[in-house]
Amino acid sequence: MTDTSKTATATATTPVSRPKGRRSKDMPDGRQALLIAATEAFAAQGFDGADLRSIAAAAGVAPNLVRVHFGNKAALWDACLDRVVVLALPVMAEVHAIATDARRSLGDRLRDLIITVATFYAAHPQVRNFVVRHGAEAPERSTQVTEKLLRPAYESARELFQAGIAAGIIRSSHPALFFALLNAALNQPPAFPMLLGRFAPEIDPATAWTELLDTTVATLLHPPPSQAGAERAASEGRKPGA
């Protein structure tokens, strides 16, 4: 075999290397992989702490793809917030549907609303952590989180909270205060079961989130005064109003 033939054979049998920054068809889209990894990084480490090379490594892409798809770190953060909003829109619509379903009692709607929000946070911890981290970070990012996510979420349930206050089910002077308290109760860190177990080992870590939800509902929602009076009278063995 001539040298030319050997060269041709070697060229034909040598695998063609995949260009850096390109992903095969069976791999997730590079831009989406970056968004997922960046959302988690920004949620865990904040804007300043998140490192673009580490984000690219977690996404399994070349570092230069951050600049290709987003331009810079600030634009990547903006895209992550937009992704969080897209994830939250369905649950906000569900909350609004619950809040406006006048066929059901206030108490049932408020309880279902809390369960719906808690279920969403459990399914999307990166959303919860992103909002908690950046809702109180630099003013320019905090404002964006408030206007794009927190304010719409509040408005989707505000009227129901107000009705709950008027009926005495919610004990608060303003629906915004209840909204803030509810989110604070449900927005525990991912390590919550482990932290709780350190001083209350009798609580099973596997049921810690469920027990937190039950406690939140029992603590924040109260029977209307008339119902509470009837229940108290029944427990004391007398007629209401006697």
Side-chain angles (χ1 to χ4, degrees):
M1 182 181 293
T2 65
D3 290 342
T4 302
S5 299
K6 290 180 180 179
T7 301
T9 302
T11 301
T13 58
T14 301
V16 178
S17 61
R18 182 167 52 88
K20 291 184 178 180
R22 300 290 298 277
R23 299 171 72 78
S24 61
K25 293 181 179 179
D26 60 337
M27 298 177 72
D29 174 73
R31 186 179 190 280
Q32 186 64 20
L34 277 170
L35 281 174
I36 294 171
T39 301
E40 294 180 354
F42 286 135
Q45 303 163 30
F47 181 83
D48 293 331
D51 174 74
L52 293 182
R53 284 191 171 275
S54 298
I55 290 172
V61 302
N64 71 301
L65 273 195
V66 174
R67 189 168 299 279
V68 169
H69 285 301
F70 304 101
N72 55 42
K73 187 176 182 180
L76 175 59
W77 186 91
D78 289 341
C80 287
L81 176 58
D82 289 341
R83 174 177 177 267
V84 166
V85 171
V86 168
L87 290 173
L89 284 175
V91 75
M92 283 193 275
E94 185 177 355
V95 163
H96 181 69
I98 292 171
T100 56
D101 186 1
R103 298 168 299 177
R104 306 180 62 214
S105 70
L106 277 174
D108 285 347
R109 282 184 280 162
L110 285 164
R111 184 177 186 277
D112 283 356
L113 184 150
I114 292 175
I115 292 172
T116 298
V117 172
T119 301
F120 172 76
Y121 282 149
H124 300 89
Q126 76 277 21
V127 172
R128 177 191 63 211
N129 299 336
F130 188 95
V131 173
V132 170
R133 167 74 69 168
H134 298 287
E137 214 183 38
E140 63 272 19
R141 288 185 287 278
S142 176
T143 298
Q144 288 192 62
V145 170
T146 298
E147 294 305 318
K148 289 187 175 183
L149 193 64
L150 293 178
R151 190 183 301 280
Y154 170 61
E155 290 299 332
S156 70
R158 178 179 58 82
E159 291 186 4
L160 181 63
F161 292 160
Q162 186 64 63
I165 292 172
I169 299 174
I170 295 174
R171 296 175 183 174
S172 175
S173 61
H174 198 285
L177 294 172
F178 181 78
F179 175 78
L181 183 61
L182 174 61
N183 278 279
L186 298 178
N187 281 327
Q188 299 299 318
F192 165 73
M194 179 187 68
L195 297 173
L196 186 66
R198 288 179 179 172
F199 58 87
E202 63 274 16
I203 298 178
D204 185 353
T207 63
W209 288 109
T210 301
E211 293 191 50
L212 173 66
L213 174 57
D214 291 342
T215 300
T216 301
V217 170
T219 301
L220 298 184
L221 302 183
H222 307 274
S226 58
Q227 181 181 335
E231 292 175 351
R232 187 163 50 251
S235 67
E236 295 173 355
R238 57 184 177 82
K239 295 182 179 181

